[in-house]
Amino acid sequence: MVRQSPSGGSRVRRNVEVRLTISKGSDETLAPDLAGQPLPQAQRLLAEQGLLLGPTAKVHTNLPTGVVIAQNPPAGFPTRRGSAVSVLVSLGEEDRFYVMPNLVGQGEEEAVAILKEMGIEPRVTYQSFPAQARRVVLQEPSFGTRIKEKEEVSIVVAQ
């Protein structure tokens, strides 16, 4: 309670109106710590404090996708209710890209080792072609194609 009329301790007659002015509480709150929280949880924490989700920027990091990395204003900073908190959110790790090497003519073991080194598990099939035994005769995608780490690559090895 902030104020009353008539003031406390005053004598009043029965059925006389007494006016009370009650505080809605402070207009300020402390910004919650959002770092490490998934974005939906961060929004709930903001709402509980009477704050809004502000501008959201996203960057690739080694943190899981959708996790808050940083915020402004920082955790514990006095903030006016109804104001916005900006966040930086992880997009997860950035995909790695490679240029498909020319594997045609290489030995099967060497070709598989090259692809595995790139983080690619090749699908190997075999085709009868005695003159090129144990060598790669076809590849998909073709030499020079841009490929993403863990993308499917097929090689055909001669038997």
Side-chain angles (χ1 to χ4, degrees):
M1 182 173 67
V2 175
R3 170 178 48 202
Q4 85 179 46
S5 176
S7 60
S10 300
R11 290 184 152 242
V12 293
R13 285 188 255 152
R14 219 178 249 206
N15 296 328
V16 168
E17 183 178 284
V18 175
R19 291 182 178 222
L20 303 175
T21 304
I22 299 173
S23 170
K24 291 182 179 178
S26 172
D27 200 24
E28 284 194 350
T29 186
L30 299 179
D33 186 3
L34 305 176
Q37 299 291 331
L39 189 56
Q41 177 65 24
Q43 284 182 284
R44 279 192 290 282
L45 290 171
L46 289 171
E48 288 170 5
Q49 297 295 322
L51 299 170
L52 304 170
L53 179 62
T56 301
K58 297 179 180 183
V59 295
H60 288 283
T61 68
N62 60 351
L63 295 172
T65 302
V67 170
V68 175
I69 303 165
Q71 67 186 72
N72 187 32
F77 194 82
T79 307
R80 185 174 300 279
R81 291 184 196 279
S83 62
V85 176
S86 302
V87 294
L88 182 62
V89 178
S90 175
L91 286 171
E93 291 191 28
E94 191 166 15
D95 291 330
R96 292 184 192 162
F97 289 92
Y98 301 99
V99 174
M100 182 66 182
N102 186 7
L103 301 174
V104 173
Q106 303 234 1
E108 176 183 3
E109 288 180 14
E110 184 181 356
V112 169
I114 290 169
L115 292 172
K116 284 187 175 183
E117 201 171 296
M118 295 168 63
I120 296 170
E121 186 66 43
R123 188 181 72 201
V124 181
T125 56
Y126 298 90
Q127 189 174 32
S128 180
F129 195 42
Q132 293 291 322
R134 310 269 308 153
R135 299 224 171 260
V136 176
V137 292
L138 291 171
Q139 70 180 55
E140 181 62 41
S142 61
F143 167 62
T145 302
R146 182 178 168 186
I147 57 173
K148 195 181 340 178
E149 184 177 34
K150 299 180 183 164
E151 186 172 318
E152 185 173 298
V153 170
S154 299
I155 58 175
V156 177
V157 176
Q159 286 184 314

